[in-house]
Amino acid sequence: MKNKKFTMIWKFLTIVFFNLSLLPIIQAEEVIPGVIEVTEVIPEVIEQKIVIHNVTFIDPKKPNESTIASLVITDKLFDSVTQDDVEVNLSDIIFDAQSGFILGTLKSGEIANFMILDEDPHKNIEALLDTKKHVLLAIRDGIIIRNNLKTESNISSTAPPKKKKTKRAGWIGYTPPQILLHSVYTSDSWNVYSNDYFSTLFVGAIALDRQKWFYQDAESELQVGDNSLFDGGEIRALRFGVGGALKFDSPWMYTIAGATNSFDKGFDTNTSDNVTFFDWRLDIPTAFNTTLSIGKQKEPISMERLMGMVFLPNQERSVVSDALLPSRNVGMVLSGRNEANTVTWAGGIFNDWLDDDGSIGENSTQFVARSTWLPYESEDESELIHLGFGYRYSNGKEAMRFASSPEFNLSPNYIDTGAIDAEKMSTYNYEASWRSGPYWISSEYINTNIDAPSLNTPSLSGYHVSAAWAITGEMRAYNKRSGTFSPLPVARSVEQSGLGAWELTSRWSVFDGNNGGISAGKTKIFSVGVFWWLTAKLNLSFNYRHIDLDRCSFISNNCDLQGTSSGMNTRILLLL
């Protein structure tokens, strides 16, 4: 096991060092070797767990409601309650509680003291008056003092644990709501409402950024201007929304989400903010386990585009995705998957006439499709390989423009084609990902062919290779309905006396916008980041980027410039 972990860590570090090796400018620093003194060899400490499956938990506020889950005790301390599979070692003790009812105080990190009874004490007081008769298991000071479980229900610690998959309710739409995912909500939460006809959940998110540009050479300043003018803070995102179900026999799901435009302004602005609704759609279950999504939504192309920005392993999307793929569009998408859950597909037609002036015929129409495939998944689902392909066609009724900042929101555009008149446009997207436990490597390549004879029919392209390592051991789940990865879970938050979830990330991204008659710029960006989820609703992150740009100046007649710049952005993210 140690060798396997060592190999995984080595693979991750290799990618980071490979990205570093691509930097054109490397400043060498003198390293003074230190002396390491080994004073003591500490033997490995093996933690022993007591795992109790099939325990019934009663909500004191709602005695008629119960939940079946597993309980974990580690080195006499209460560890956690979970409905997921629990990894066990040969030295661990495993019991089946036979749906027995737990009685006691469970606080993470404290000595375990509780009993498991064969009857619900809320309904039968006799279970408390005669514990000798009704107790199944009793633990005091973390030690088992009584065990009346039947012999056949005790699972030998040498036997392999039984695989028990928990079936979770999921969003039926191809694109889940972007800010409804990362927290657990219960029926008595303040932001949840439900009746016999519909349910609704109110959510929100705010992201506060602080940008600092570290370096910019003279050629970069000639290309894009003085970056230091963009130093400072901003409200990067202030979003809100509702989502829920219309309770038909086969429920329909709805999503309405919006944002204030304050993320385009600094903290000190006194200007009133407008509100933009960027998601409003209805997900309707249709025949053969398919779903029809109607409204304003994300186009079904590119995993990086489909995943919520606040849950990506980098603060901003790669420059190629930002430049060549739109954020959202108005239309309808039909999606589905095969019975084995190894293939997904989605296709849609879009036209933004509701958000723009003019009729459907005057605005551009897009046809977009994506398919994903899982060619390999390990038996325990901890390791998998993901492949994907996407295609987008536009009939060119409106002028096109491809522009992007260098993966910093507080920045001038480094890439910009200006307005382009074209007869049509075709975009191809290729995806590949490998995930093994806490390690995740993902990549995408995007190519856009523009049918514009006056510009010699240019082709714009780019790619990114990203690596993420959850240092605290969490694993991103894979969403088999949409072929995307879920947000990083938090195994033990700081509220539970834990470390939260820590993720170290790296990305190398390239975009080539110099082709045909277009000189939009060619950029190479190396980034590293640290993300700390203190809880499932609070995140602190740091992203550093080193940027090389090959492009003429936008502010003078200078050309053949190769500029270099670098900076860091700090973000605080809070979810309701």
Side-chain angles (χ1 to χ4, degrees):
M1 181 64 72
K2 289 184 177 180
N3 291 335
K4 185 176 181 180
K5 289 184 177 179
F6 177 81
T7 301
M8 296 302 180
I9 294 172
W10 179 250
K11 288 180 180 178
F12 178 87
L13 293 177
T14 300
I15 291 170
V16 175
F17 292 140
F18 171 73
N19 287 343
L20 284 169
S21 69
L22 296 175
L23 289 174
I25 298 178
I26 301 177
Q27 296 180 347
E29 296 183 358
E30 182 181 359
V31 179
I32 303 175
V35 179
I36 301 175
E37 181 180 357
V38 179
T39 58
E40 182 182 3
V41 178
I42 301 175
E44 181 183 6
V45 177
I46 299 176
E47 292 185 343
Q48 185 183 59
K49 296 194 293 285
I50 298 176
V51 181
I52 309 171
H53 295 301
N54 298 321
V55 181
T56 302
F57 294 83
I58 303 293
D59 186 346
K61 298 179 181 179
K62 300 177 180 179
N64 293 326
E65 296 185 10
S66 63
T67 300
I68 300 291
S70 298
L71 184 150
V72 181
I73 301 168
T74 303
D75 287 343
K76 300 183 181 181
L77 302 179
F78 170 69
D79 189 319
S80 60
V81 173
T82 180
Q83 290 184 322
D84 294 331
D85 292 339
V86 179
E87 182 178 350
V88 296
N89 299 314
L90 296 180
S91 60
D92 296 337
I93 303 172
I94 308 172
F95 293 113
D96 183 347
Q98 305 174 35
S99 300
F101 298 84
I102 191 166
L103 183 66
T105 301
L106 303 177
K107 189 172 182 180
S108 180
E110 293 191 357
I111 297 291
N113 289 281
F114 61 86
M115 293 187 298
I116 297 179
L117 306 174
D118 62 359
E119 292 193 41
D120 184 358
H122 295 90
K123 298 180 180 179
N124 183 6
I125 194 64
E126 181 68 21
L128 289 176
L129 298 177
D130 190 355
T131 55
K132 184 177 180 180
K133 176 181 178 182
H134 293 279
V135 71
L136 294 175
L137 186 72
I139 293 182
R140 184 171 65 191
D141 295 333
I143 300 173
I144 300 172
I145 61 172
R146 180 169 295 178
N147 176 22
N148 290 332
L149 290 171
K150 296 179 181 180
T151 305
E152 60 267 24
S153 67
N154 291 339
I155 305 172
S156 170
S157 62
T158 61
K162 293 181 179 179
K163 294 294 181 182
K164 178 183 177 183
K165 296 181 181 179
T166 304
K167 186 176 181 181
R168 296 181 178 88
W171 205 268
I172 65 171
Y174 188 72
T175 308
Q178 300 299 301
I179 54 176
L180 304 189
L181 293 178
H182 206 57
S183 302
V184 176
Y185 304 96
T186 59
S187 58
D188 59 350
S189 297
W190 68 269
N191 56 340
V192 175
Y193 175 78
S194 180
N195 58 30
D196 293 337
Y197 305 101
F198 68 92
S199 64
T200 190
L201 167 67
F202 173 78
V203 294
I206 182 170
L208 306 178
D209 281 10
R210 175 65 64 177
Q211 171 75 32
K212 176 63 179 178
W213 285 94
F214 292 151
Y215 174 78
Q216 184 180 28
D217 65 11
E219 290 195 344
S220 174
E221 190 167 347
L222 285 174
Q223 289 171 327
V224 299
D226 186 0
N227 280 344
S228 65
L229 299 176
F230 293 85
D231 284 347
E234 68 164 351
I235 302 176
R236 176 64 181 91
L238 182 55
R239 300 181 177 182
F240 54 88
V242 293
L246 304 177
K247 297 182 179 180
F248 303 118
D249 291 338
S250 296
W252 295 13
M253 312 298 287
Y254 66 90
T255 306
I256 303 173
T260 72
N261 295 331
S262 59
F263 55 78
D264 292 328
K265 308 180 181 70
F267 291 147
D268 57 350
T269 180
N270 293 319
T271 307
S272 61
D273 298 325
N274 296 320
V275 174
T276 299
F277 287 95
F278 54 82
D279 265 332
W280 42 269
R281 79 171 195 271
L282 196 61
D283 298 319
I284 305 171
T286 47
F288 306 108
N289 197 28
T290 60
T291 300
L292 179 64
S293 301
I294 302 174
K296 188 173 183 179
Q297 57 193 298
K298 291 194 173 186
E299 296 180 357
I301 187 171
S302 170
M303 178 188 294
E304 190 179 38
R305 265 299 177 193
L306 289 169
M307 289 180 61
M309 185 189 71
V310 296
F311 302 133
L312 290 170
N314 287 278
Q315 289 177 346
E316 303 289 341
R317 293 182 174 88
S318 63
V319 62
V320 61
S321 297
D322 199 41
L324 297 184
L325 298 176
S327 177
R328 288 168 173 82
N329 208 339
V330 179
M332 54 184 176
V333 174
L334 184 66
S335 61
R337 51 185 170 168
N338 66 346
E339 292 184 2
N341 288 331
T342 57
V343 175
T344 74
W345 57 269
I349 182 170
F350 297 87
N351 188 297
D352 65 351
W353 65 280
L354 286 176
D355 276 357
D356 202 355
D357 296 330
S359 64
I360 292 179
E362 295 171 333
N363 286 11
S364 295
T365 298
Q366 293 81 30
F367 300 92
V368 188
R370 176 177 181 255
S371 181
T372 68
W373 176 40
L374 277 181
Y376 170 75
E377 184 178 37
S378 62
E379 185 178 352
D380 61 1
E381 300 183 4
S382 64
E383 183 177 10
L384 60 81
I385 295 174
H386 158 97
L387 299 175
F389 171 74
Y391 174 75
R392 184 178 191 269
Y393 170 85
S394 177
N395 62 7
K397 289 292 185 68
E398 299 172 278
M400 304 172 184
R401 181 184 179 187
F402 306 96
S404 176
S405 65
E407 301 174 8
F408 281 131
N409 193 56
L410 280 175
S411 167
N413 281 337
Y414 273 41
I415 298 295
D416 197 342
T417 63
I420 299 174
D421 290 323
E423 297 180 7
K424 60 184 178 179
M425 178 187 71
S426 296
T427 298
Y428 302 86
N429 174 254
Y430 305 89
E431 309 169 17
S433 285
W434 170 79
R435 188 214 63 196
S436 181
Y439 306 97
W440 177 29
I441 299 174
S442 61
S443 62
E444 289 192 32
Y445 172 81
I446 304 175
N447 175 260
T448 295
N449 298 320
I450 304 169
D451 188 357
S454 62
L455 295 173
N456 298 322
T457 311
S459 177
L460 310 181
S461 63
Y463 68 90
H464 75 86
V465 179
S466 304
W469 172 28
I471 304 172
T472 43
E474 290 84 354
M475 181 179 75
R476 288 176 178 263
Y478 183 76
N479 187 337
K480 294 184 178 180
R481 180 177 291 275
S482 60
T484 59
F485 287 90
S486 299
L488 185 70
V490 182
R492 181 177 289 182
S493 70
V494 295
E495 296 173 319
Q496 300 171 312
S497 302
L499 296 175
W502 287 76
E503 191 172 42
L504 178 63
T505 68
S506 172
R507 181 169 69 193
W508 174 255
S509 64
V510 173
F511 177 78
D512 188 357
N514 296 333
N515 188 266
I518 293 179
S519 298
K522 181 177 182 179
T523 184
K524 301 176 182 178
I525 304 175
F526 169 74
S527 62
V528 291
V530 178
F531 291 75
W532 180 22
W533 286 97
L534 289 81
T535 71
K537 301 179 182 180
L538 178 61
N539 174 263
L540 177 64
S541 62
F542 304 88
N543 247 172
Y544 167 84
R545 287 183 173 84
H546 180 101
I547 308 147
D548 291 321
L549 178 62
D550 180 0
R551 202 202 67 199
C552 298
S553 174
F554 281 171
I555 58 179
S556 69
N557 293 326
N558 292 315
C559 213
D560 295 328
L561 299 173
Q562 294 183 348
T564 299
S565 56
S566 63
M568 176 178 285
N569 188 71
T570 303
R571 174 173 297 168
I572 299 175
L573 171 67
L574 177 64
L575 305 177
L576 291 181

